Amino acid sequence: MGVPCCRQPKLTPGFPNPCMAIRHTMERAHSVPVLSLDKLYQPEELGRWLKKTSEYAGNKVGFTVEEKIDGASIVLYYDGGELLCALTRGNGLVGNDVTANVKTIGAVPLRLSEDVTLAARGEIFLPLGRFAAVNAGMEEPYANPRNLAAGTLRRVKSSEAAAVPLDIFVYEGFFDPPAATHREALERLEALGFRLNPSAGWFSEAGDRDAVRRAHPSWTVGGLADIGGFLAAERARRAGLDYEIDGIVVKVDELAVRERLGATGHHPRWEIAYKFESPEGVTTVTAIEVQVGRTG
């Protein structure tokens, strides 16, 4: 399975370059498996997961909590500070090379502020305001921004992709040497020029909360008991966001603990998705048309 998903992929030397792995197809092998997330739907389930994970780590673990953007997953590979290629998640081991289309997204840095080699994971999405503007000029409007974002990434002509105003939030970075914590990795990503979602939280029974507040003034910071309030606040503000979210993602902050927890063949044990309820609406049937098929 290659390098564990919580560690830095060493692209050079001796590390397979994902952008050259399958030269004659649109598919490329990921340098690190992009696993799925295990999912929870009830606050009590999340509470049990937090308790179990904290006990395993000796109650000295922190958790970062981030919005789960409803978009299209992407992995950006940089070599010497230059964007080498961009791959969709695909099946987690192999993804589609959509580099040309991703380069049309203004928020994706083509050249970093340092000559570093890294992999960055993020979510490409179409803000709701921009989606409404695109649909305003269509005879047949698109169904939702998520499908439009994913479809745009797969377009053959990058000029067509450039016409759709996509955006991105980056949420994971793999460096060599690796960062000690997820917070540290996020801070370095931001310093390199990546766009991060400012709506996040950090919760722990240990650690310097004031230091985290100073470093991330837009974050919600507190103890584990405060995660429930963050969930409620995110659910309440969901309808007013300019992008779609379908839950939150909770991650162990310390990378050493992540490595000890490991992963199954399906998902990391140090990360969980708490899914919100799907939006509901009322459909009114205005007419029913009955047709006879060719066989009667």
Side-chain angles (χ1 to χ4, degrees), residues 35-54:
L35 300 180
S36 298
L37 294 181
D38 200 11
K39 299 175 180 61
L40 300 173
Y41 298 89
Q42 300 298 326
E44 309 82 57
E45 295 176 308
L46 179 58
R48 288 193 292 269
W49 184 86
L50 289 166
K51 183 175 185 294
K52 178 181 67 175
T53 306
S54 297

Side-chain angles (χ1 to χ4, degrees), residues 26-37:
M26 289 300 292
E27 292 185 333
R28 305 284 184 263
H30 284 292
S31 61
V32 179
V34 187
L35 300 180
S36 298
L37 294 181

Side-chain angles (χ1 to χ4, degrees), residues 214-238:
R214 287 193 297 270
H216 303 279
S218 69
W219 285 17
T220 302
V221 179
L224 297 187
D226 299 314
I227 292 182
F230 182 85
L231 291 179
E234 283 294 316
R235 188 181 287 106
R237 70 191 293 267
R238 179 186 184 188

Side-chain angles (χ1 to χ4, degrees), residues 1-11 15 18 29-35 75 77 92-94 119 121 174:
M1 295 293 289
V3 181
C5 59
C6 56
R7 296 180 62 186
Q8 155 68 14
K10 297 181 180 179
L11 302 184
F15 194 88
H30 284 292
S31 61
V32 179
V34 187
L35 300 180
V75 186
Y77 292 93
L93 300 177
V94 173
R121 291 182 186 159
F174 302 91

